[in-house]
Short mmCIF file of all heavy atoms in Angstrom, two decimals:
data_model
loop_
_atom_site.label_atom_id
_atom_site.label_comp_id
_atom_site.label_asym_id
_atom_site.label_seq_id
_atom_site.Cartn_x
_atom_site.Cartn_y
_atom_site.Cartn_z
N ARG I 1425 5.93 -10.30 11.06
CA ARG I 1425 5.88 -11.61 10.43
C ARG I 1425 5.59 -11.52 8.94
O ARG I 1425 5.98 -12.34 8.15
CB ARG I 1425 4.81 -12.45 11.10
CG ARG I 1425 5.04 -12.64 12.58
CD ARG I 1425 4.96 -14.08 13.01
NE ARG I 1425 5.58 -14.23 14.36
CZ ARG I 1425 5.01 -13.72 15.49
NH1 ARG I 1425 3.85 -13.11 15.48
NH2 ARG I 1425 5.63 -13.93 16.65
N GLU I 1428 8.67 -11.44 6.85
CA GLU I 1428 9.20 -12.76 6.58
C GLU I 1428 8.66 -13.32 5.30
O GLU I 1428 9.37 -13.87 4.45
CB GLU I 1428 8.84 -13.72 7.72
CG GLU I 1428 9.87 -13.92 8.78
CD GLU I 1428 9.38 -14.80 9.89
OE1 GLU I 1428 9.30 -16.04 9.65
OE2 GLU I 1428 9.06 -14.28 10.98
N VAL I 1434 15.16 -9.12 8.99
CA VAL I 1434 15.23 -8.08 10.05
C VAL I 1434 16.29 -8.47 11.05
O VAL I 1434 16.42 -9.66 11.37
CB VAL I 1434 13.87 -8.00 10.79
CG1 VAL I 1434 13.97 -6.92 11.89
CG2 VAL I 1434 12.75 -7.66 9.87
N PHE I 1436 17.63 -7.23 14.87
CA PHE I 1436 17.39 -6.30 16.01
C PHE I 1436 18.73 -6.00 16.69
O PHE I 1436 19.65 -6.84 16.74
CB PHE I 1436 16.52 -6.99 17.07
CG PHE I 1436 15.14 -7.25 16.63
CD1 PHE I 1436 14.68 -8.53 16.43
CD2 PHE I 1436 14.25 -6.19 16.44
CE1 PHE I 1436 13.38 -8.76 16.02
CE2 PHE I 1436 12.95 -6.42 16.03
CZ PHE I 1436 12.50 -7.71 15.79
N TYR I 1441 12.60 -7.88 20.32
CA TYR I 1441 11.41 -8.55 20.68
C TYR I 1441 11.78 -10.05 20.84
O TYR I 1441 12.31 -10.66 19.92
CB TYR I 1441 10.35 -8.45 19.58
CG TYR I 1441 9.74 -7.08 19.44
CD1 TYR I 1441 9.54 -6.52 18.17
CD2 TYR I 1441 9.40 -6.33 20.58
CE1 TYR I 1441 8.96 -5.27 18.06
CE2 TYR I 1441 8.88 -5.05 20.45
CZ TYR I 1441 8.65 -4.53 19.18
OH TYR I 1441 8.13 -3.30 19.07
N GLU I 1442 11.43 -10.55 22.02
CA GLU I 1442 11.82 -11.95 22.28
C GLU I 1442 11.04 -12.92 21.42
O GLU I 1442 11.53 -13.98 21.03
CB GLU I 1442 11.52 -12.28 23.78
CG GLU I 1442 12.08 -11.32 24.80
CD GLU I 1442 13.61 -11.47 24.92
OE1 GLU I 1442 14.17 -12.38 24.31
OE2 GLU I 1442 14.21 -10.67 25.65
N ASP I 1443 9.80 -12.54 21.07
CA ASP I 1443 8.94 -13.51 20.40
C ASP I 1443 9.11 -13.54 18.89
O ASP I 1443 8.38 -14.22 18.19
CB ASP I 1443 7.48 -13.20 20.74
CG ASP I 1443 7.09 -11.81 20.31
OD1 ASP I 1443 7.96 -10.94 20.26
OD2 ASP I 1443 5.89 -11.59 19.99
N ILE I 1444 10.04 -12.74 18.38
CA ILE I 1444 10.27 -12.74 16.94
C ILE I 1444 11.58 -13.45 16.66
O ILE I 1444 12.61 -13.14 17.25
CB ILE I 1444 10.34 -11.29 16.38
CG1 ILE I 1444 9.00 -10.61 16.53
CG2 ILE I 1444 10.77 -11.29 14.92
CD1 ILE I 1444 7.92 -11.11 15.61
N GLU I 1445 11.50 -14.38 15.72
CA GLU I 1445 12.72 -15.10 15.37
C GLU I 1445 13.51 -14.27 14.39
O GLU I 1445 13.08 -14.04 13.23
CB GLU I 1445 12.40 -16.44 14.78
CG GLU I 1445 13.55 -17.42 14.82
CD GLU I 1445 13.47 -18.45 13.70
OE1 GLU I 1445 12.40 -18.51 13.06
OE2 GLU I 1445 14.46 -19.14 13.44
N ALA I 1446 14.64 -13.77 14.84
CA ALA I 1446 15.45 -12.94 13.96
C ALA I 1446 16.81 -12.84 14.58
O ALA I 1446 16.99 -13.17 15.77
CB ALA I 1446 14.84 -11.55 13.84
N ALA I 1447 17.81 -12.46 13.81
CA ALA I 1447 19.13 -12.26 14.39
C ALA I 1447 19.06 -11.08 15.34
O ALA I 1447 18.33 -10.10 15.08
CB ALA I 1447 20.14 -12.02 13.30
N LYS I 1448 19.79 -11.18 16.41
CA LYS I 1448 19.74 -10.12 17.45
C LYS I 1448 21.15 -9.83 17.96
O LYS I 1448 21.94 -10.74 18.14
CB LYS I 1448 18.87 -10.54 18.60
CG LYS I 1448 17.39 -10.68 18.25
CD LYS I 1448 16.58 -11.44 19.27
CE LYS I 1448 15.20 -11.76 18.70
NZ LYS I 1448 14.44 -12.72 19.49
N GLU I 1598 22.54 -12.60 5.99
CA GLU I 1598 21.24 -13.17 5.54
C GLU I 1598 20.99 -12.82 4.09
O GLU I 1598 20.51 -13.68 3.31
CB GLU I 1598 20.12 -12.58 6.40
CG GLU I 1598 20.11 -13.21 7.78
CD GLU I 1598 18.74 -12.99 8.46
OE1 GLU I 1598 17.71 -13.36 7.86
OE2 GLU I 1598 18.74 -12.43 9.57
N ILE I 1606 19.34 -19.51 7.60
CA ILE I 1606 20.60 -19.18 8.27
C ILE I 1606 20.32 -19.17 9.77
O ILE I 1606 19.18 -18.96 10.18
CB ILE I 1606 21.05 -17.80 7.78
CG1 ILE I 1606 22.42 -17.43 8.27
CG2 ILE I 1606 20.06 -16.72 8.21
CD1 ILE I 1606 22.98 -16.23 7.59
N GLN I 1607 21.30 -19.47 10.55
CA GLN I 1607 21.07 -19.53 11.98
C GLN I 1607 20.82 -18.14 12.53
O GLN I 1607 21.68 -17.27 12.48
CB GLN I 1607 22.25 -20.22 12.63
CG GLN I 1607 21.83 -21.15 13.75
CD GLN I 1607 22.97 -21.61 14.54
OE1 GLN I 1607 24.11 -21.46 14.13
NE2 GLN I 1607 22.71 -22.18 15.71
N LYS I 1608 19.66 -17.95 13.07
CA LYS I 1608 19.32 -16.62 13.60
C LYS I 1608 19.55 -16.60 15.10
O LYS I 1608 18.64 -16.78 15.88
CB LYS I 1608 17.89 -16.31 13.31
CG LYS I 1608 17.54 -16.40 11.83
CD LYS I 1608 16.27 -15.72 11.50
CE LYS I 1608 16.04 -15.84 10.00
NZ LYS I 1608 14.86 -15.19 9.53
N LYS I 1609 20.77 -16.39 15.48
CA LYS I 1609 20.98 -16.43 16.90
C LYS I 1609 21.20 -15.07 17.51
O LYS I 1609 21.22 -14.04 16.80
CB LYS I 1609 22.06 -17.41 17.28
CG LYS I 1609 23.38 -17.23 16.60
CD LYS I 1609 24.39 -18.23 17.18
CE LYS I 1609 25.80 -17.83 16.79
NZ LYS I 1609 26.78 -18.66 17.44
#
Side-chain angles (χ1 to χ4, degrees):
Chain I
R1425 300 230 164 72
E1428 264 177 74
V1434 180
F1436 293 111
Y1441 290 139
E1442 308 287 356
D1443 60 332
I1444 295 288
E1445 199 207 350
K1448 293 165 191 168
E1598 285 199 55
I1606 189 169
Q1607 220 190 345
K1608 304 196 179 182
K1609 53 178 196 172

